[in-house]
Structure formats: C-alpha cells, structure tokens
Amino acid sequence: MSKRKELEAKLIARLRDDVVCVEKTDPRTIFIDVKRAGIREASKIITNAGARYLCSVGYDNIERDGTLGMIHTFALDDSDQFVCCRTSAPENDAIIESITPDLPSAGWSEREVTDLLGLRFAGHPKPKKLVLADDWPDGIYPLRKDVPHNLVPKGAEDVAYELDEAPPGTKIVPVGPFHPSLHEPEHFAVYVDGETIKGCDYRGFMTHRGIEKLCTTQISYNEVPFIAERICGICGSVHATAFSQAVESAAGLVIPRRAEFIRTMMLEFERIHSNLLWLGVAGHLIGFDTVFMQAWRVREQIMWLCERLTGNRKTYGMILVGGVRRDITPEIADDIRRVMKTIEDDLAIIHRAIEKDTSIHKRTKGVGTITKQQALDWSLVGPVARARGVDIDARRDHPYAAYDEMKFEVPVLDSCDVWATLVIRVIETFEAIKIVRQCLEKMPGGEFFVEMKDSIPAQRHAITVVEAPRGESVHYVITGEDNRPERWRVRAPTFPNLQAVPLMLLDEQFGDFPIIMGSIDPCFSCTDRVAVVDLQTGQASSISKAELDALSRQQQARHASLKG
Amino acid sequence: MTTATLHPIWSYVQVLLNLLVFLALAPLFDGIVRRVTARVQSRQGPPLVQSFYDVLKLLGKENIDSTGILPFRLAPVIAFASMLCVIAILPLAGRATAFTAYADAISLVYLLTLGGVAVLLGAFASKNIYALIGASREMTTMIMVEPILFMILLLGVLKTGSLDLSAVIYGTPMAAFGLPGMVMIAVSLFGLQAFVARQPFDMAEAEQELLGGPFIEYSGPNYALFKYYMMLKQMFYAYLPIAMFVPLLGTGFYLADLALQLVLTAVVFLLIGLLSATHPRYRIDQAIRYFGVLFLIALAAIAAAVVL
Amino acid sequence: MDTTIYPHLQTGLAILLGAGLITPLLASKRQLAGIVNLLAVVLAGLFFASSAINVLSGPGAPASFDLQLAGLTIPLLVDGFSAVFLLLIAVIASVVALYCIGYMQMAHYRHYSLRGFYFCYPVFIAGMIALVTVDDLSTGFTIAWQLMTLTSFWLIRFDHHDPVIVRSANKYLLLMQLAWAAVLTAGLLVPGCGWGTPLHYIAEQLGTLDVGLRTLLLALAFLGFGMKAGMFPLGQLWLPDAHSVAPSPISALLSGVMLKTGIYGLIRTLFWMTPESMPAHELQYWGMAVAVIGVVTLFIGTSQSLKQVDAKRLNAYSSIGQIGYIILAIGAARYYLGPNAALHALALLAILGAFLHVLNHAIFKSLLFLCVGSVQYTTGTKDLDKLGGLFALMPITAIIAGIAAIAVSGVPAFSGFTSKWAIVAATLLSGKAAGIFVIFGVIALVTSAMTLATYVKLYGMTFTSVGVEWNTDGNAKVQEVGKLMLAPKLLLTAICLLQGLCPWLFVALFGRVLATSEGVLTHTLATPALLATLSERYAGVAVSNASGTAVAFSLPLVMVALLVVAGLFARWLKHAGGAQTRQAPVWLCGYQTLNNANRYLSSHIFDAFKKFMKWTGGNVRA
C-alpha cells in the first residue's frame, strides 16, 4: 500500500466522522477536509505518518458560507506528496484548536492568521500580535474580503508591543530595525546576561507591502509573477516560479520542456549569486570583510551575466505563467559556460582559503548549535536544516521544472553549527554550476512559452514548493474569479528558520549574534510580504514608484515637523 | 643622551617636532592601513589622506549630545590630551624632549591608561547599552594588553637599570637583548593587532555587533577627537617596537634616524593592514585566552631576562 | 626632648573616653550628640596632633614612657613612625565625626538609638590611638586592641535588625579575638618576657632564640596583624563582610585607618621585632615571604573587587588589594635591606612607597566610603545594579567620587600614582639582584589596571550610565547631600589632591619619620648617601642611582601642567570647526526607547573577564 493510501486509511479510521472528505484529484497532493474539532488530531496523525509541517494558510470564505478557512500543509518528502488538511470555523465563533503545542513552527502561521483574518486559536502558547503594526486598530482584519486594499485606518494611540518578560538577571540589547548586521528593518530584543544570550524576542514584519492582498484584489494571474518576483531582492525567480507552478497546476496547464530547463537555469543562477552573497555577508558578520569583498567580486560575474541574459542584474522578469520570457541563444550559452568556469575557479580559491582558516573555524564551529531533533521539531528548511543532518531538498524530493533530469549532490552535514551551513552553501554553489552545465547540455529545443487560453476555474487549491538558495519556499494558491487568485499564501524559507533563531542563540555569546542570525540568511522582506501597513502611520501602501517616493517625502516632512 | 650637547631651546623645539610628526603622520599611516586593506580586498581604496579628511569633516559636523552631562563632553578632550602628553615626553629617534626628563616609563604607561580611562568614561556616560558592552570589552582588552606593552619596555629597564625613557628605549643595543629580546619582538608582533585594536581584536568597537561600541553616542568634533586619539595611539604602538628593537643608524644625523624609524613604522602599518584584512574578529572570550597566552610568554621572557 | 608628648597623648585619650561617657546622654538629640562628638574628637585630635608634631619636629626618637594605670605598667612609645599614624587617625576621625552628624540622621536609622554609637565612636578612636602608641605586645596591647575591637564590633552591628549584619559582626569579633590571641601569644611566649615587656626587649630576646621558635613567634605576630590588615587569605574571611555592613562613616574609619593599625603592626613586627642579630638570610626569607603574600593579596583582592556589585563590598575588597601593595612594599623593603648594599636605595624607595600608600589609601578610601555613604543616604541603596545616572543629581559628590576613584586607580597626578609608582619602581629596578621582584612589579602593574577597571565600573554604574528613573514621584528625594555631609568630603578631597600634586611634602615628612625613629630602617636607610638618592622637588620626586643620574621620577605638577596645556589645545580643536551642538535621545536602533530594561548592569560589566578570573574567588554569582 502506498504511503498515501496508508495515510488516508489511518485518518479515516482514527477521526471517523470528523473527516468530511478526501480529495484525490491531484496525484501529488491530498486535500483532506476535517471538522474543526478534529484538526489537531488530524495534524498529529499526519505528522506521525512522517510528514513534515510546511505552513498554514487562512482564508476568508465568509461570503460563500460564513466561515473562515484554515489549511495546514505538510510534505511527505520520501514519497513526493503534499498533505493539505483543511478546516473552517464560522465567522461568529472564529476559533479553532491550535496545533502549535505539537508543532512549534506553526506558531507564526497561526498568529499571522489571527492578525489578518481574525481567526483565533485555542491553546496557542504565545497569542500575541505578529504581523500587524503596533498601532493597527483592533477589529480590522486586512485579508478579509470586505476590507479594501487601500484602507487607511486611524492608528490606535498609546499602543506599545509588550516584549516577552526578560529572564531574571538579564537585560535587553535592542537590535534593529536599524543595525549594521540586519540588512532589513526588523527588531530583535536580545536578552543578555553579560556577554551570554539568554533569550530573544522578535518583533518583525516591518517591511510591509501588502503584496498578497494586492495580488488578490488588483491584478491578474499573468501579472502576479512580476510582483511575486519583487517579494525578494535575492530569490525573485523562486517566488515567480513557485507562483507560476501553483497556477499552472491549478489550471492543469503543461508548459514546454524547454521553458522548464530555462527556469531551472534561472533558479540555479539565483542560487549561485545568493550563496556568494551570503558567503560575503557571513564574512562581514564575523568581521572578515575580505571574504565579503572577494565573494562579492566573484558574484559580480553572475550579476553581469544575468544582465546580459535578461537586461537586469536582478528581478529578471523571466518567469511567466506558461513558461519564460526569453530564450537561451547559443551565444549566450557560450557566455554562460565561460562565466561558470570563472566562478568555479574563483570560488575554489576562496573555498580553499576558508577551509584552512583556523580563525574562521574559531568563529563558526560549535556556534549556533541546535540538535537534529530540534531542527526537525521546528521544521527547519534549506542549508540550515541540512547543516543539522536533516536530509531534505525540494529539488530532489519534490522535483519541479527540470530537476528530475538533473544529477546533483545534496550535501548534508551533522556538525549542527554555522560552519556546516557555510560549507554546505559553498558546496551547493559548485553543485549549482554543475546543474547549469547539465541544463545547457540536455536542453531540448522547441517553444519556451505557452499561452494560458482557458480561464481557470475558481476555488481550486494548489501547493508548490521551490527550493530557494536559503531553503524551500512554499506557495499556496486558491484560484478565484476575475482572472486572479482568491488567496495566495507565500511562505519563504526564513519564516520557519527565523522562528528557531532564539533556540540557536540560547547560551551563545552576544558576539556571535550577527553570525547566528545571519546563518539562516534571513530574508525579512520575503517573510513580511503580507501585512498592509506602515508601522508609524498605519498607511496602506500599494506600490508604484511615484507613490512610494511621495510617501517617503511625506515621511521626511513629518520628521522635520516633529523636530521643529 | 645627545640632548646634553644641544642648547636647551632645542629640547622645546623637539617637543613641537614630536607633536608635528605624530599629528601629521598618524592619519597618513591610518590611510596606509586602509589602502592595504582595500588592495587585499581587490578594491581601489581611499586616498592616503582620507583619514585627515574624515577628521576635518567631523570637526565641522553637528555635535549630538545624548547625555547632557560633563563627563561625556570631557572624555574626548582628556583622551586626546593624554595622548599628546605621551607624544610630548617620547624621545623620538633617540633624542629626548624637554619633558622626557619629567616622566619615566611607569608614568608613560599610566598616561596611556589615562587615555583608555577617558574612552571608558565617555562610554559609561553614554547611557547606551552598546557603549557599555563595548566599554567592558575595551577595559578587558586594556587590562590584558597594557601589561604586555609594559613588559616590552621593561626589557629595557632591566638592561639599563633605569626607568628613564631615553635609557629604556634606546639604552640597549639590539644584540644585548639576547633571547628575551627575540621573544619580545615576537610578542610585540603577535600583540600588534591588539595594541592598535584592529581585527582580529577590534571586538570593543565591533561594528556588526556593537555599532562602534564605546563611541556609539559620539559624533562631530567629539568623535573627531576620539578618532584622532585612536590614530595617534595606533602610531605610538606601532612606533614603540621599532624604537626599542631597531638600532639607530648612528650616522649622527638626527633626520636620517628619524626618517628610518618612520619608514619602518610605515612598514609596521603595512603589516597591520595585511593582518587586519586577513582575519575575522575574535570573540572576547577567545581574545582573552589569546592575550593570556601572550602575557605568559612575555612574562617568561622577562623572567629569562632576569635570570640570564 | 619635648615633655608635652605623653601628657598631650594622655589628655587626648582622656577627652575621648570622657566623651564616650557624656555624649550618649545627649543621644536623643541626634544633631547635638553628633556635634558634641565632633568637638570631642577634634579637641582630642588637636592634642594628638600637637603630640605628633612635637615628635616629628624633634631632633631624634623620643624616649618611651611607662604609664602607670591601676597598678599596671604600660610602656608607651611615640616615635616618628607612631606620630604619623597618630596624625592620620586624628585627621580622619575628626572628618568622619563631622560626616556622622548628617549621616546618622538618615531615615533608615530613625528607629535606632544613637546612644551606643556615640559611646563607641570616641572609644574606638581612643583604642586605635592607643594601639599605635603602646610599646608592648601584652598589657597595653591587649587594652588597646580590645578597646578598638569591641567598640568597632558594636559599631559594625549598629544596624542590628538585619541578621546578616549581626552575623558579619560576630565573625569579625571572633576573628579579631583570634588575631589578638596570636599576637599576645607571640608576645608572652618569648622567654624572659611577660606582661608589659617593651618591644625592644622582646626583639633582643628573639635574637637569642633558635630559628624554629623565633620563626613561629614572628609568624604568630605577623598572622595577628596580618589578619587585621586584611592580608590574603585572612582578610577575605572578615573584611568584606564587616566593611560592607557597617554604617558608611564607620566603614570609612575601618578601611581608612583601622586596617592601617594592622599595617602598623606588620611594620613593627618586620622592622622592630627582628633584631639585628638575626642572620641576614633569615630576614631576607621573611622579606620574600611577606612580598609573596603581598603580591597574592593585591592580585586576588583586586580581582575579587572587580566582581562585586555591592558598592561597599567593592570598596572593601579593593582595600584588601591596596593593602596588598603596602605589604608587597614592606616585604620588598625587608628583602632589600639584606647584605647587598646596592639594594638599600631601593629599600628606601619601597618603604617610602608603603608609607605614602598608607597615607594615600587612608584618604582616598575614606573618601570613597563617604561618597558611597552619601549615595546610600539619598537613594537608600548601595547595589550598583540599582544605581546609575546620579551625576546630574549629585554633581559635587560625583566629582569628588571621581577624584577619589582616579586616585585609587593611580592615574598620574592623583594621589595613588606616586605611591604606586614608588612601589612598582622599587620592584622593577632591582633587576637581576632580586629578579623575582621584577615579576612582582609586573603583577602589581596588571593589578593596577584591574583597579582602574573596578573603579571605572563603580563610578560609571553609580554616577553616569543609565539610571533607574529617580524622582519619578515628583518629590526631589534624590538630590545632593547637605553641606554637613559635603564639607568633610571636600576636606578629604583637598588632602587627596594635595597628596597627588605635592608628593614631595610627604616625602619630606617621611624624612622626618626616619629621623625621629629608631630601628633598622633609620639605622640603615637614613644615611646621607642614601637619602641623597631620593630627591624631592616641588614638581615631584625623583630617585637617582649611585652615580647620581635620575632613574625614576614622578613629577605630578609637570604632568598636570602638560595635561592642562594639551587639554586646552584639544578643546580649541574641538571648537575649531564651529560645530553646533544638539541634544538627541540615546540611539537604540530605532524601535525601543531607553528604559530600565536596556540598562547594562554592574553584574554584566566585564563578563568575559570575570569568567576568565573565576578561579580567584569572590564571585558574586555562580
């Protein structure tokens, strides 16, 4: 009996009446609808069957049946399956049981749903505000359909976020939102006892752009990939690919094989540049700026290559629903080969230098240690998980694009520290170069784009994962009317990884804070994508450059007037 | 030494010359470090005089005071003044100044500490937790490193039986230092980065963690004074082993001696630049252990010098 | 021979004992009792001072005097050496008495009767005076020691509602009685000596004994006085507890002067009870042993002090550390007095260092205790974790404490500098002749950097840094202490500055001490040739070698002048750019605003270093 069948049988046997239905339309995904009473039990059964928790998605179904929906998603990595466990609660009794006590990494997902949709979770260990600004007024849930995307509520007054109680004998070092080791605005309250970190509270979600709301209210499927790409300045193609795949899967659209190869290449380019970028940042965070400069010098090659390829150093605009925008010509293929060679050689030099540098060992070995079990409990992903002996990689476990044809190693180390993360990311860069070469070799001819002709039926659910350089990104799409998604949920790799950072920091030295925090390669803008407000003003900001400029000008004027 | 043959007025001129040499060259030497670092990092790097520009610019920039208390404003002045005093008493290239006869090696070490104290005073006055973490690291480094510097000087004290600076620094020919001298040269090389508070031992300022540590609340002219103080101190620490261990030319031409020493000091700065560009920052606990070992080696060298 | 020396001494003692009987009757009127106490102590102090000045200005050491008291014969001796201690006790006792007037009206003491306090205070002073003037180790010593110990015991347990305080006081009493027993045993066990035998006779007898017994007896006396002085490891047993729980003015007396009576005893033991008939190498062993103890004491004491979060405990541990310097100097001097005449000049320097440090430490440590007392008086706490930001509220106390803290750290031109300079120079210049002392000197120097760290912390955590929000309830409870409590501190500050800037005055005084004392120090060191190596100028002190070239010098006035000129230049440079000044809130990365949770505590400071030094003990937290 396949794992899938086994799981279905188990669920029905154990939950009986609580299971409403099991939908088996998609060969890769099982959708299970359960009554809200059985949701915690269901998720327990699913995880006990060996599934790994991905994320949770909340959605507004009030217009349809007066409920708020909640989906917990899981992955069965050894059999390439996803499990989506759906439930709902009526709007007037919007509360369901929390799964966070069993799955700590569900904590943020649930808090996010509480903030954005007003669905509450009984038994949540830390039911605090997560994504909304401190002064966001109570009772307005931005992701509900009745809230317009451009709502500007009046900010609540005298509201301050209550940080967690500091452990006895400790004091708070406020890190961020403006701090040199954070490259995006987020706030960590680090509880230190002298030089030792005894805990940490996180108040983030300050990079608010309201992307999910925007894409479900304003634009159409074909435009979303360009917005998705702008979720992140590093792994844009990842989000664009993931979204496109989700839509293609929902629509049952099959894209040309050549396009899949090109997507694979773009993703690997991104991996190379992201890994080099991170390597540099990691060097910088331990005060080793030479590593920073050299890694970025090497990285520059790939940036130029992408510029020649797509016209942009970043935010390539290559990925479309239905394929890609540009082809790889033979000339550019030669160019790619040459650049790959240069990068491989240069990186080999850096790699050798780092490998033998005892002072880098001093700063990274045994730092940020958490055990494999903890990594599993917190559903860590990407190099951070692989450095803790968790052998997962979406490219291999849930192949997409052309990864099924690619041969590559998934490095897994078990020293559980920052050093292992560093080694893994360097090795993965070499592997990425290999994959790019394989793509060039094996790429079939033919079309690279197919137009989506039929409109996509509403209320279809689809989930895809894409292995970003820093771990897997999960996209969940519910199709909607008006040629746009009804709900689109993006879970960036930082979302689970960041939740485990306090654990990694525990009992480490404060001097190691930057590198431990940096070791997960946090991408706060990916993580924050959803919320709709600017911290200080409660102002909704849909994004056009002119508007943004006007906003920042306003902001400055306000500061000036405050000063005066 | 040679002062005896000169008119007393020259010893006062010498004070001015000392100050001039240090005030003029310290930023340039700092520039050398920046250039070397840049080259190691495949960068062009700023012009050599960039550190001058920095100080000049800072002197004119807005001075932000977040404390409103006297110690905060006083600290940079004390730090800078104490370093000027150290320079004024230093016998440069073998020639004593008018003030060398008024301060011995112990006074010199305590004067150097005064500068450190001023930094700490300013940091403690800043009310900023980053400044306090930085200050506590700075002080720790100072406790461990200052004695190492002193033991380098002590070698001269032991050989000449005098604490007079001219005697301590120039009173012993290189060869007479023997084995302990060799060990001390090694110690001063290994301690160099700690003396000048650069990577791997810049954990007090640690930009990525502490945003400049003790200096976080300083800006404008106050910060300019601290910056200048750091550069002067750095030059002093780089110059001292040269003066101690590299014999004077003995040509009788003061300027030749001076030029040689300064060129060698520049070489030391080249080394500082190379070392700081090729090391990450150590954590404070790692640094303490390193200093501890260095301290014991220096102590062993002193013991050897006493016994041999 | 001036005949007023002993009568004045007795008159002074009589006044103190009389005051001890009268003042308690007025105790219900707190201020009045304080003033009467002050007048009595000052009057007695004047008598002591007159007696001391008579001795010091005399041509040589005065003769001893047998006091007949209730059928007991108590030999008294006020030589130059005692005279200095007399002066010191008189000055500090008077200043502290002035401070007591204000301090004992503290709200916390409202429910305590001051009767016992004002009985014990003058008697305590009398006990200390007696201890440094009696010339035996039995009758007179016992009376003096017990007067001092019992009264100080009651003073320490003044705040007796707290069982911890009572326990500390009991421990103090027990250990001091052990010390007494040790010294008394040493005094009585010497063959041919009994109750009331003067010191010089004891010394002669010691010279005739065999090595083992002599060593034992000297060791007993040494242990007894060492216990009082706070020598490692005995000092750690009682000193921090007792000094931190006593009322602050009493702590000032304990740390400032009472410890010095232990030093007095140590010096008497090492230089007066060691007859010249003893073999030279045996004396050098003693010197070496004492120096080693001194080094250990100063290193351990100071590193323990660094770890403290209670301001008074910090000061108390630091006292152990500073006493260590003095013990090191005494030991070095004893060692250098050996057959190698080349080292005699260094012996002179070392003993000068000890002498100066006794005086300097007495002043700056009293001052520090009084400052901490003032802080405790207004804020009600001495816990550095709870203090902070008082500079703006108590500026005068803050500046005074700053001067005292700089002095104890040995910053040039302040009072600790010259004494530490003398001690360190004396160890370093020995070179190959006494190599181990060079190592001691290096350790002493490391330690003075730790002292600096300790006091930067004390000062920063009390006066600058982030404060608890004081005076939030509207009434300005936390403010500068009154004139009555500022005046004594200002007096001591003036003396402290004088000591720092004009060490030559005290070197000159030291010359008089040698001239008006007997014993090995005077005989060996007060020769014109040796005294010539130590030249005091208005600018400072210099030591020259045999050929007359200066090898070490401490010239605070020149340094101050240099620093002032350089400071003016720095100030000019700072304003040269014409930059505007603006007030702005503290930068905390833009999300949190400054609050009590962002305050780095005293117990956090130097965390890494404290962990590194964990093995030295005295850790506040596990």
Side-chain angles (χ1 to χ4, degrees), chain C residues 453-468:
Chain C
T454 310
Y455 279 94
V456 164
K457 178 178 100 168
L458 175 85
Y459 189 74
M461 288 333 237
T462 312
F463 294 105
T464 62
S465 107
V466 195
V468 188

mmCIF file of all heavy atoms in Angstrom, chain C residues 453-468:
data_model
loop_
_atom_site.group_PDB
_atom_site.id
_atom_site.type_symbol
_atom_site.label_atom_id
_atom_site.label_comp_id
_atom_site.label_asym_id
_atom_site.label_seq_id
_atom_site.Cartn_x
_atom_site.Cartn_y
_atom_site.Cartn_z
ATOM 1 N N ALA C 453 39.781 49.298 36.284
ATOM 2 C CA ALA C 453 38.527 48.735 35.771
ATOM 3 C C ALA C 453 37.470 48.740 36.862
ATOM 4 O O ALA C 453 36.318 49.107 36.637
ATOM 5 C CB ALA C 453 38.769 47.312 35.277
ATOM 6 N N THR C 454 37.884 48.356 38.061
ATOM 7 C CA THR C 454 36.949 48.295 39.178
ATOM 8 C C THR C 454 36.314 49.657 39.424
ATOM 9 O O THR C 454 35.104 49.779 39.587
ATOM 10 C CB THR C 454 37.700 47.869 40.448
ATOM 11 O OG1 THR C 454 38.446 46.722 40.159
ATOM 12 C CG2 THR C 454 36.741 47.599 41.573
ATOM 13 N N TYR C 455 37.153 50.677 39.422
ATOM 14 C CA TYR C 455 36.619 51.984 39.790
ATOM 15 C C TYR C 455 35.927 52.692 38.638
ATOM 16 O O TYR C 455 35.011 53.479 38.871
ATOM 17 C CB TYR C 455 37.695 52.836 40.481
ATOM 18 C CG TYR C 455 37.745 52.399 41.912
ATOM 19 C CD1 TYR C 455 38.641 51.439 42.338
ATOM 20 C CD2 TYR C 455 36.787 52.839 42.809
ATOM 21 C CE1 TYR C 455 38.614 50.965 43.622
ATOM 22 C CE2 TYR C 455 36.751 52.377 44.107
ATOM 23 C CZ TYR C 455 37.668 51.443 44.514
ATOM 24 O OH TYR C 455 37.606 50.961 45.785
ATOM 25 N N VAL C 456 36.359 52.368 37.438
ATOM 26 C CA VAL C 456 35.578 52.870 36.301
ATOM 27 C C VAL C 456 34.168 52.317 36.401
ATOM 28 O O VAL C 456 33.178 53.013 36.205
ATOM 29 C CB VAL C 456 36.237 52.456 34.969
ATOM 30 C CG1 VAL C 456 35.262 52.610 33.826
ATOM 31 C CG2 VAL C 456 37.466 53.296 34.709
ATOM 32 N N LYS C 457 34.080 51.047 36.790
ATOM 33 C CA LYS C 457 32.769 50.430 36.939
ATOM 34 C C LYS C 457 31.990 51.086 38.066
ATOM 35 O O LYS C 457 30.838 51.496 37.880
ATOM 36 C CB LYS C 457 32.933 48.934 37.197
ATOM 37 C CG LYS C 457 31.613 48.232 37.410
ATOM 38 C CD LYS C 457 31.796 46.752 37.609
ATOM 39 C CE LYS C 457 31.726 46.410 39.078
ATOM 40 N NZ LYS C 457 31.613 44.973 39.320
ATOM 41 N N LEU C 458 32.622 51.202 39.222
ATOM 42 C CA LEU C 458 31.919 51.792 40.366
ATOM 43 C C LEU C 458 31.405 53.177 40.004
ATOM 44 O O LEU C 458 30.240 53.520 40.231
ATOM 45 C CB LEU C 458 32.859 51.903 41.575
ATOM 46 C CG LEU C 458 32.241 52.626 42.762
ATOM 47 C CD1 LEU C 458 31.431 51.675 43.604
ATOM 48 C CD2 LEU C 458 33.270 53.316 43.615
ATOM 49 N N TYR C 459 32.304 53.945 39.401
ATOM 50 C CA TYR C 459 31.936 55.326 39.090
ATOM 51 C C TYR C 459 30.853 55.369 38.019
ATOM 52 O O TYR C 459 29.835 56.043 38.158
ATOM 53 C CB TYR C 459 33.171 56.092 38.629
ATOM 54 C CG TYR C 459 32.909 57.560 38.507
ATOM 55 C CD1 TYR C 459 32.792 58.333 39.636
ATOM 56 C CD2 TYR C 459 32.734 58.162 37.266
ATOM 57 C CE1 TYR C 459 32.516 59.672 39.559
ATOM 58 C CE2 TYR C 459 32.457 59.502 37.175
ATOM 59 C CZ TYR C 459 32.364 60.254 38.322
ATOM 60 O OH TYR C 459 32.070 61.576 38.240
ATOM 61 N N GLY C 460 31.098 54.611 36.960
ATOM 62 C CA GLY C 460 30.151 54.625 35.852
ATOM 63 C C GLY C 460 28.777 54.136 36.277
ATOM 64 O O GLY C 460 27.758 54.721 35.936
ATOM 65 N N MET C 461 28.751 53.074 37.049
ATOM 66 C CA MET C 461 27.469 52.487 37.400
ATOM 67 C C MET C 461 26.730 53.328 38.431
ATOM 68 O O MET C 461 25.530 53.179 38.609
ATOM 69 C CB MET C 461 27.665 51.061 37.942
ATOM 70 C CG MET C 461 28.041 50.076 36.885
ATOM 71 S SD MET C 461 27.455 50.541 35.295
ATOM 72 C CE MET C 461 26.498 49.267 34.731
ATOM 73 N N THR C 462 27.453 54.170 39.169
ATOM 74 C CA THR C 462 26.780 54.987 40.165
ATOM 75 C C THR C 462 26.376 56.339 39.591
ATOM 76 O O THR C 462 25.249 56.791 39.756
ATOM 77 C CB THR C 462 27.699 55.218 41.373
ATOM 78 O OG1 THR C 462 28.253 53.980 41.759
ATOM 79 C CG2 THR C 462 26.925 55.790 42.531
ATOM 80 N N PHE C 463 27.323 56.974 38.922
ATOM 81 C CA PHE C 463 27.092 58.381 38.615
ATOM 82 C C PHE C 463 26.734 58.653 37.158
ATOM 83 O O PHE C 463 25.949 59.540 36.870
ATOM 84 C CB PHE C 463 28.312 59.208 39.018
ATOM 85 C CG PHE C 463 28.526 59.204 40.498
ATOM 86 C CD1 PHE C 463 29.529 58.456 41.074
ATOM 87 C CD2 PHE C 463 27.685 59.922 41.319
ATOM 88 C CE1 PHE C 463 29.706 58.437 42.444
ATOM 89 C CE2 PHE C 463 27.848 59.912 42.685
ATOM 90 C CZ PHE C 463 28.864 59.172 43.248
ATOM 91 N N THR C 464 27.374 57.915 36.249
ATOM 92 C CA THR C 464 26.983 58.148 34.849
ATOM 93 C C THR C 464 26.085 56.979 34.449
ATOM 94 O O THR C 464 25.288 56.551 35.247
ATOM 95 C CB THR C 464 28.217 58.281 33.948
ATOM 96 O OG1 THR C 464 28.933 57.070 33.985
ATOM 97 C CG2 THR C 464 29.108 59.414 34.408
ATOM 98 N N SER C 465 26.196 56.500 33.259
ATOM 99 C CA SER C 465 25.413 55.371 32.737
ATOM 100 C C SER C 465 23.910 55.618 32.883
ATOM 101 O O SER C 465 23.478 56.687 33.243
ATOM 102 C CB SER C 465 25.840 54.050 33.383
ATOM 103 O OG SER C 465 24.911 53.564 34.293
ATOM 104 N N VAL C 466 23.122 54.621 32.578
ATOM 105 C CA VAL C 466 21.676 54.810 32.625
ATOM 106 C C VAL C 466 21.207 54.623 34.047
ATOM 107 O O VAL C 466 21.562 53.670 34.696
ATOM 108 C CB VAL C 466 20.964 53.752 31.775
ATOM 109 C CG1 VAL C 466 19.540 54.173 31.551
ATOM 110 C CG2 VAL C 466 21.686 53.544 30.483
ATOM 111 N N GLY C 467 20.401 55.528 34.506
ATOM 112 C CA GLY C 467 19.920 55.389 35.863
ATOM 113 C C GLY C 467 18.581 54.716 35.921
ATOM 114 O O GLY C 467 17.852 54.670 34.947
ATOM 115 N N VAL C 468 18.292 54.222 37.089
ATOM 116 C CA VAL C 468 16.911 53.932 37.394
ATOM 117 C C VAL C 468 16.246 55.305 37.303
ATOM 118 O O VAL C 468 16.886 56.325 37.485
ATOM 119 C CB VAL C 468 16.813 53.406 38.835
ATOM 120 C CG1 VAL C 468 15.421 52.911 39.131
ATOM 121 C CG2 VAL C 468 17.855 52.347 39.081
#
